[in-house]
Amino acid sequence: MRTLLTTGLAALLIAAAWPASALAAGQEPIVFADASWESIQFHNRVAGFIVEHGYGRPVDYIFGDTLPLLHGLVRGDIDAYMEVWIDNIREAVEQALESGRVLNLGSNFPDAPQGWYVPTYMIEGDPERGIEPMMPDVRSVTDLAKYWELFRDPENPSKGRFYNCPPGWVCSDINRAKLKAYGLDEVFTAFSPGSQAALNATIAAAYRRGQPWFGYYWEPTWVIGQYDMTLLEEPPYTDECWATDYGCAYPFSKVLILVNADLPEKDPEVYAFLSRYETELEHTNRALAFLNETQASMEATAVWFLREYPEVWRAWVDEETARRVEAALEAHGA
């Protein structure tokens, strides 16, 4: 992916992006790190709507790659990073926190799962669609060996097809090792769909037709929000297992909210609000499903969420702020 924000240009880009009205009033915007994935962009717009309409502060969103955005947070060019997947950049995050220039506000949502999924109708059936359970006794990944023929690979009919990560993703090699550790490489091939969009398309096509599907996926995503999928059981994760053959569950991913250490002084109200910001995986899954189904903008998706879950966001703010947010939602239209 091409980086739009580099460490050398961060301050210049941010200054150029500030609203003229904010500069004229001498009020700096609250700047959010806008990385390339949809879930962080969604949470940025939810928080941004509340900051703008609840607290009357200008907001800005700076797009970039993961590490340059973190560097911008350390320097103070960015105020808030709403979704930091710490396991992906642990060393850099730890250095940022140790510098004292970044504060950890805790998890945005509970630890995010990843692993091997099947459509729930394969286990439980779907009476409304006339689908009978295809493998009602399946709970664990190892239970699938006797059902491999349900997933027969059209390119290699002697084995079933396991939908792997796109090439170049670390999980692609991990999944191949896991198939071998579970002895499933004898009855399944690891098929690469080529891209995340292609992987999503395979799930959507199978689900629409009520057909078998088996492969790797993760949360939060619109796919899990839109389709009822079951994460299969694996032996619990251990460091020892992960250092040998990967024959255990993926570790859960911690997703943190980080802010620049100057934010409590720059804007104590916004800092207090972000300190209380906390959601559930279902919220992001459903919001991303709404985004995909309606092809709405990210801003419209944030408005949908705020209207759909008032009991969630009202816990983040005081009553006066909540009234201002609700008035803005009413004025926003349908």
Side-chain angles (χ1 to χ4, degrees):
M1 182 180 64
R2 183 165 60 92
T3 302
L4 299 187
L5 174 64
T6 64
T7 54
L9 295 176
L12 178 62
L13 287 175
I14 291 169
W18 284 353
S21 59
L23 292 172
Q27 187 177 22
E28 297 182 357
I30 301 299
V31 182
F32 292 90
D34 218 30
S36 61
W37 58 93
E38 289 180 337
S39 55
I40 189 174
Q41 294 174 7
F42 158 69
H43 284 288
N44 282 346
R45 271 60 182 186
V46 170
F49 191 96
I50 292 174
V51 169
E52 183 176 1
H53 298 285
Y55 295 102
R57 314 289 196 268
V59 298
D60 192 19
Y61 310 96
I62 299 301
F63 182 85
D65 281 344
T66 303
L67 284 175
L69 288 171
L70 182 62
H71 296 156
L73 187 71
V74 172
R75 288 193 310 275
D77 301 328
I78 293 171
D79 296 301
Y81 207 145
M82 294 298 294
E83 199 177 289
V84 177
W85 293 70
I86 185 172
D87 294 319
N88 295 342
I89 51 170
R90 179 171 295 277
E91 183 177 352
V93 170
E94 290 176 350
Q95 289 177 356
L97 293 171
E98 290 170 2
S99 74
R101 297 298 305 144
V102 171
L103 303 177
N104 177 8
L105 300 189
S107 298
N108 182 324
F109 42 75
D111 294 352
Q114 56 182 319
W116 293 0
Y117 288 78
V118 297
T120 301
Y121 58 71
M122 295 192 70
I123 300 171
E124 300 178 3
D126 186 345
E128 291 186 5
R129 301 175 65 193
I131 300 174
E132 296 291 331
M134 305 174 198
M135 44 185 200
D137 58 333
V138 166
R139 297 295 178 270
S140 167
V141 296
T142 55
D143 295 334
L144 287 176
K146 61 186 176 183
Y147 291 107
W148 71 265
E149 292 180 89
L150 288 173
F151 308 93
R152 195 181 296 275
D153 188 336
E155 297 180 7
N156 184 2
S158 65
K159 291 186 177 183
R161 173 173 286 188
F162 168 85
Y163 284 94
N164 202 356
C165 305
W169 292 21
V170 174
C171 51
S172 178
D173 292 334
I174 292 175
N175 286 330
R176 292 179 186 277
K178 286 162 75 73
L179 284 169
K180 184 175 182 180
Y182 295 137
L184 292 175
D185 60 326
E186 299 179 3
V187 289
F188 281 95
T189 60
F191 175 81
S192 173
S195 68
Q196 181 180 343
L199 179 62
N200 293 345
T202 67
I203 298 173
Y207 212 95
R208 185 170 58 251
R209 299 164 183 159
Q211 294 177 341
W213 187 94
F214 170 42
Y216 169 88
Y217 216 75
W218 66 96
E219 301 180 49
T221 60
W222 70 262
V223 167
I224 302 300
Q226 187 166 336
Y227 304 121
D228 187 2
M229 305 288 286
T230 293
L231 177 63
L232 298 172
E233 297 174 1
E234 298 181 65
Y237 169 87
T238 65
D239 290 341
E240 181 181 3
C241 156
W242 215 244
T244 54
D245 63 0
Y246 296 103
C248 58
Y250 276 91
F252 283 88
S253 297
K254 290 189 176 298
V255 183
L256 305 177
I257 298 174
L258 303 183
V259 299
N260 180 264
D262 292 336
L263 184 60
E265 182 177 352
K266 173 182 177 179
D267 203 313
E269 287 186 310
V270 170
Y271 172 75
F273 152 60
L274 293 177
S275 298
R276 293 188 291 266
Y277 192 106
E278 185 178 14
T279 63
E280 298 293 334
L281 279 170
E282 177 197 359
H283 299 147
T284 305
N285 285 334
R286 286 200 62 206
L288 296 183
F290 172 85
L291 177 73
N292 180 71
E293 290 171 355
T294 64
Q295 297 297 300
S297 67
M298 201 62 74
E299 290 74 13
T301 301
V303 168
W304 171 87
F305 170 83
L306 292 166
R307 288 171 172 163
E308 189 78 5
Y309 293 104
E311 73 284 358
V312 174
W313 64 263
R314 285 182 67 95
W316 307 334
V317 300
D318 59 82
E319 187 60 33
E320 183 178 351
T321 301
R323 285 197 294 269
R324 288 195 290 265
V325 172
E326 287 176 340
L329 290 172
E330 291 179 6
H332 203 273

